[in-house]
Amino acid sequence: MSRVHVIGAGVAGLSAATSLAARGARVVLYEAAKWGGGRCRSYDDLQLGCRIDNGNHLLLSGNLSTMAYLERIGAGDTMAGPDKPVFPFIDLVSGDYWALRLNRGVTPWWVLRKDWRVPGTRARDYLALRRLQKARPDDLVAGLLGDLGVLYDRLLEPLAIAALNTRPDVAAAAPLAAVVAESIARGGAASMPRYPAIGLSESFVDPALAFLRENGAELRFGARIAGLTVSDARVTGLVGPQVDEIIGPNDRIVLATPPWVAAELIEGLVVPDQFESILNLHFRAGIDGGVAGFYGLLGGVAEWVFEKTEVVSVTISAANDRLDRDTDALAAEVWSDLRRGFGLPRTMPPYRVVREKRATFAATPAQLARRPGPQTRLGNLVLAGDYTATTLPSTIEGAIRSGETAARLI
Ligand SMILES: Cc1cc2nc3c(=O)[nH]c(=O)nc-3n(C[C@H](O)[C@H](O)[C@H](O)COP(=O)(O)OP(=O)(O)OC[C@H]3O[C@@H](n4cnc5c(N)ncnc54)[C@H](O)[C@@H]3O)c2cc1C
């Protein structure tokens, strides 16, 4: 019987593997690490004495591929978030607090309510969001929306940085347009913030691995694929320190590694080659996360802060220029932001700084032009991963959708 070999157990590989296993395919999953999840995982932090996520991941109820994936693996009830489409913000400079609120339906009457939209904006300012529908490949976020004053400073810029993990003066507008089209443009019901109730692995990884085991898949951890044997434009073997696998004539392969690994394995494959980092700081402290469980912070170093069970977690996106910053100094700066926003004590609690150097590819027009489609010159291999040409930025939704596409092609 033929098999499907899935290389990489990040969410793209898990999406492809579970989708294929659900359709009765014999799946073999190869993962270089000893754990699954890739850039979306939880782990026990010895220094903090608790379990943390590598980084805060925010999703939206309109992430339909993600929601379908969670249902498939039996983890549909593991997500948390407010029961309303609400995004609270704190301005650390002025001390202002406000919350963006959307109505559930498609007609955006929320823009007419002064207490629901961003303070200092007018209803007609929001009409400019329609510019996104016509975004061309070379349009930049700042170029397209940067003239929108308060609306840009207080909402569009922070949302763009969060969604694209790239500074808006160099980020392409097209992937932001794709995010808006699948969320805000479809109304509040598609724009509810969602995050794992316990942890990333508890939602996205562990249930998927259990699903695969139940469906007869073979899971190989610590199984890095270092090379492909190729003959007549088909892969005939997988090779690695712990792997020497012959690929049968009817076998198929899903290559769901990060882009730099895919380019090493497939000669001539063009992939994004510039990346942006994300810093996450986890403090052993508590805050009241309010109505949403998180806040957007403006005017400080910290950008988003999440109330977690045992820690307060802070995200700083598009952080290449802060990557080499001294750890203690960075933590002190972020703690000072948290003190201003939440009245926390002066003494900094134990903390952990997680630096994800290549968190996402840089969402610039030049990098987007390097995204490959799923099919390759190798007839029995398809690509999956957040870097493939999904139209979405480098996100869980994009990664999961790429896995579905790969499974469908197979
Ligand atoms: C800190 C942080 C915050 C983020 N925040 C958000 C967010 O808020 N919302 C959102 O939607 N997205 C967010 N993202 C992005 C999201 O995590 C990624 O888009 C997604 O996890 C990518 O999944 P992937 O499967 O494509 O790649 P990866 O997660 O990189 O998976 C690739 C897998 O392949 C394995 N592998 C590599 N080489 C080999 C090899 N040779 N052989 C076998 N296996 C190999 C790796 O170990 C890894 O497990 C964030 C990312 C980070 C890092």
Side-chain angles (χ1 to χ4, degrees), residues 198-216:
I198 300 175
L200 289 169
S201 291
E202 284 77 2
S203 286
F204 292 102
V205 187
D206 301 345
L209 297 176
F211 178 90
L212 288 171
R213 285 191 187 98
E214 278 159 26
N215 285 276

Side-chain angles (χ1 to χ4, degrees), residues 27-46:
V27 172
V28 188
L29 180 64
Y30 305 82
E31 166 55 50
K34 295 214 159 42
W35 52 83
R39 281 170 278 159
C40 170
R41 68 189 186 286
S42 316
Y43 65 94
D44 295 320
D45 188 289
L46 297 179

Side-chain angles (χ1 to χ4, degrees), residues 235 250 264 292 328 350 357 381:
V235 178
N250 296 318
E264 274 166 27
D328 292 338
K357 194 172 173 193
L381 180 149

Side-chain angles (χ1 to χ4, degrees), residues 335 339 344-349:
W335 184 249
R339 287 187 59 218
L344 291 164
R346 182 177 292 275
T347 312
M348 192 161 59

